[in-house]
Every structure is written in structure tokens, then in C-alpha cells.
Amino acid sequence: MLLSDLPTPQVLIDRPRLERAQQLASAAGMRLRPHAKTHKSPIVARWQIERGAVGICCAKVGEAEVFAAAGIGDIRLPYPVNPSNASRLLALMDRASMSIIVDHLEVARGWSEAMQRAGRTLDVLIKVDVGFHRCGIDPDGGGALEFVRAIAAIPGLRLRGLLSHAGHGYSAASEDELCAVAAREAETLTTLRDGARASGIDLAEISVGATPTLRYSARQRGLTELRPGNYVYFDRTQVALGAASFDDCALTVLATVVSKPAADRIILDCGSKTLTNDQARGITKATGYGAVLVDDGSAPTQVDESLAIERLSEEHATVRVAGGTKLEPGDRVRVLPNHSCVVSNLVEAVLLVEGDRVIDTVRVAARGRIT
């Protein structure tokens, strides 16, 4: 089937552009454990593992249930899962090697009680706040080492190591700032690890995860695992952050011009139910709700700077035209979204393409699994 035969809007994945992070992790001597929340597809997860990934991360227990049912055997939940989910996690532990994070002592005790009742042992990593100030223990508050000691001593839990997410890298204003975020993250984690080791506690895993800092984290010493998610598809935000080029971006939205009410305005059929309302963040300016790409007959890599998606309704994308356009109702364009992870969760399936041909349909099996 050709792209020209498809109804629109459609989410497309350019097959040759998938999977470019494994080589980076392997060269650094680190394990790659991709975050599956970006693609939500066991098919894509298997491709990642076949290329060398040790397993995957999932955002929620519901996501993990989908991937475990599909045969993915090593799953990490870098999310503060409450012990009220113990029965679900125990069921998952029968099918896959599972690990979670903890950053609160009472929550850890709740998991300890659940595991002891079941006669099981759960692998945990301590989440450390390295500057994003979302989840994680404060490494500078004076109680971090005491927290490590407490978790290491709790029955029913096996402390594997430390884990962090440098989400503040998305707000970096320069390449130097991104590099500094990655370096500071590694320093924070390895300092805490060294303190634990001096106390007789060996932390085997030091895990970091964020696509903007990925290329810099791979240079840091002492880290054992990289957990990028967005890298599998990339998006306009990652281009603005210097983490990718337009040629790296695998996910685009095929859309049709449905109206041209004025010379300076066209309407596309990819509204907020297909694109995301997220604004792009980055070192370079990226305004609007996605980038309309120049049609070059294959996988476009250049932005049409005369077109700016200035507003999204549920089914409409309002595009402001600067200087005129040859586009007319019925013409088609490819749009690079600001945030590909959200787009994946909006559709039941994505189409795998090469050039102007559709070669496969990939179901987004974990779509909507938010519990």
C-alpha cells in the first residue's frame, strides 16, 4: 500500500530511522533499558531487545502487564508504585523479572510486608532526586545514606542500586548546560554509591534515564544503565535540544489539507486528538504545535518555515501561512509532533513505512494503560 492510498490522519513510523541508541550504550559499556512508554508496543520492545537492550522500563503496572503477557522477560518500573498494587506485581513476578523504585520508607515497608506474606523477594532501586524535584530522595539533605542503609536492611526487598531521571535537562538553555546536568547527575549518584560502599552496602546498579542528556550520560564514569525512552522515535523537542536531527525523527503524522479559508491560513485534519498540545522545549526556538515538513516524495527532513501550526482544536490544526503556499484542499503533508510519546498514546496502531510504502501495521498494545 502507498501513503497516497491512506485515509488521514495517520501516525507513521519510518522503519530505517528506528533504534540508534544501542550503539551508543554498547560503546560506553553500559546496559540499555529503553522506556517503553514512548512506543507502548511489544513489537518495538522486541526489536530493541534483539538489538542488545537488557529489558525495558514501563510507566505503570498496566503497561507492564501488557509487555509481560507478550513475553518481555525483564521489566523495570521507575515509578513510585504503591503497595496496594502488590497482588498485580506478584502476578507479574511469575512471568517476568520485575524491579521497582522506592523513595519513601513507609512505602518500602509496605512492599516488605507484602513480599514477606507471599514468601517472595522484590528487587528495588532507590530513586534519587538529581535536580528535577519530582520524585526521589534528597541526596544533599543529610539523610540519603541513612535511607540507603534502611532499605538495605528491610526483609523481602533486595536493594539493587540507585536510579534517577534528569528531567530538568529538558529546560537546558545550551549544550554546555545539558552536559553539566549529565555530569552532575552522575556525580550525585556515584558519590552516594561510594558512601554506601564504605558502609558495607554494595550497589551494583547506577541507572539514569533521559533522552536529552543521553549522549552526555554515555560519557560518564560509574554509570551502569541508560534508560532513554523518546530516542526510539525522537520528536521536535529533541531536535530543539540538539539530541537529534530531523533526519533522526522516525514518527510523523500524515495529514490532509481540508480547508483554505484565506491566503494566510490552511486547516489540516490532525487536531489535538492526533497531535499533542505540548509546546516544544529546547535550546533553539520551536514555536507552535508541530513542524510541517517539506514534501520531498519520501521521508521529509526539512521544515517548511512558511507554515506554523498556531492552534489545535480536537479535529483541526490551524496553520498560519507566511508569504503564500501552493497547498490546496486535498494536498497532504507530514507533521513532526512536539512530543512523540503522547502521540503514541492517542492511536491504536502506527504504520511502519519505507519511503512512500506502508510495510506493516504495529499495534500500540499498551495504549491507555495508565493504572
Side-chain angles (χ1 to χ4, degrees):
M1 180 182 290
L2 299 177
L3 296 186
S4 57
D5 297 325
L6 296 172
T8 61
Q10 294 281 351
V11 178
L12 310 179
I13 305 297
D14 190 74
R15 182 71 175 88
R17 296 183 183 182
L18 287 174
E19 286 305 317
R20 297 186 178 181
Q22 181 62 56
Q23 185 176 2
L24 183 65
S26 298
M30 300 179 195
R31 295 187 295 270
L32 181 70
R33 183 186 294 275
H35 205 311
K37 70 179 179 66
T38 298
H39 54 74
K40 291 180 173 284
S41 167
I43 293 173
V44 178
R46 281 194 287 270
W47 291 341
Q48 292 173 315
I49 292 169
E50 287 168 1
R51 285 156 179 75
V54 298
I56 63 168
C57 292
C58 289
K60 297 291 184 67
V61 176
E63 276 190 8
E65 289 167 341
V66 171
F67 285 95
I72 303 301
D74 193 332
I75 301 173
R76 175 158 292 166
L77 291 166
Y79 187 86
V81 185
N82 192 272
S84 61
N85 292 287
S87 61
R88 296 172 71 191
L89 197 67
L90 285 164
L92 280 167
M93 291 169 68
D94 291 334
R95 294 186 289 176
S97 174
M98 297 296 303
S99 55
I100 68 169
I101 60 107
V102 293
D103 63 359
H104 192 282
L105 191 55
E106 290 306 311
V107 171
R109 287 171 176 157
W111 280 112
S112 170
E113 293 169 3
M115 291 300 119
Q116 289 183 86
R117 284 194 300 268
R120 307 290 290 272
T121 300
L122 175 63
D123 285 342
V124 301
L125 293 90
I126 293 172
K127 180 69 176 287
V128 180
D129 182 359
V130 293
F132 191 34
H133 304 319
R134 188 171 64 186
C135 300
I137 65 169
D138 181 359
D140 303 316
L145 189 54
E146 287 74 12
F147 187 85
V148 172
R149 292 192 188 107
I151 298 301
I154 292 180
L157 304 184
R158 182 185 298 112
L159 179 57
R160 302 291 303 165
L162 307 175
L163 179 147
S164 64
H165 170 60
H168 49 307
Y170 279 90
S171 300
S174 68
E175 294 278 349
D176 287 344
E177 190 173 329
L178 270 174
C179 183
V181 168
R184 174 59 179 162
E185 177 181 36
E187 179 186 12
T188 299
L189 295 176
T190 55
T191 297
L192 183 53
R193 178 206 61 195
D194 292 346
R197 182 177 294 163
S199 298
I201 301 169
D202 184 33
L203 300 176
E205 297 191 42
I206 305 295
S207 175
V208 302
T211 297
T213 51
L214 174 65
R215 60 199 186 277
Y216 299 114
S217 293
R219 304 175 188 175
Q220 306 302 316
R221 294 188 176 184
L223 305 181
T224 66
E225 180 177 271
L226 302 172
R227 305 184 331 276
N230 187 273
Y231 84 95
V232 68
Y233 292 156
F234 287 121
D235 52 30
R236 191 175 179 222
T237 293
Q238 300 299 338
V239 174
L241 285 161
S245 68
F246 286 110
D247 189 48
D248 294 320
C249 296
L251 185 150
T252 56
V253 173
L254 179 67
T256 299
V257 178
V258 293
S259 181
K260 190 176 185 180
D264 65 348
R265 186 169 78 253
I266 60 174
I267 308 298
L268 306 178
D269 60 359
C270 55
S272 63
K273 290 181 178 177
T274 311
L275 294 176
T276 167
N277 280 308
D278 287 4
Q279 293 286 340
R281 296 168 287 174
I283 297 167
T284 58
K285 187 177 181 181
T287 58
Y289 295 97
V292 180
L293 303 178
V294 175
D295 183 7
D296 63 0
S298 59
T301 61
Q302 293 184 340
V303 175
D304 188 335
E305 300 292 353
S306 70
L307 303 176
I309 302 176
E310 63 178 9
R311 186 172 74 243
L312 294 181
S313 307
E314 289 185 33
E315 308 292 352
H316 305 72
T318 300
V319 182
R320 181 64 58 186
V321 178
T325 179
K326 295 180 180 179
L327 290 171
E328 296 290 340
D331 290 337
R332 296 184 168 203
V333 297
R334 299 271 284 272
V335 179
L336 178 65
N338 290 342
H339 190 179
S340 62
C341 305
V342 178
V343 175
S344 290
N345 196 52
L346 292 172
V347 294
E348 295 182 352
V350 297
L351 299 181
L352 210 60
V353 302
E354 288 188 7
D356 63 352
R357 294 184 304 111
V358 178
I359 60 174
D360 204 355
T361 298
V362 177
R363 182 168 169 256
V364 188
R367 177 197 184 205
R369 297 301 184 105
I370 59 173
T371 62

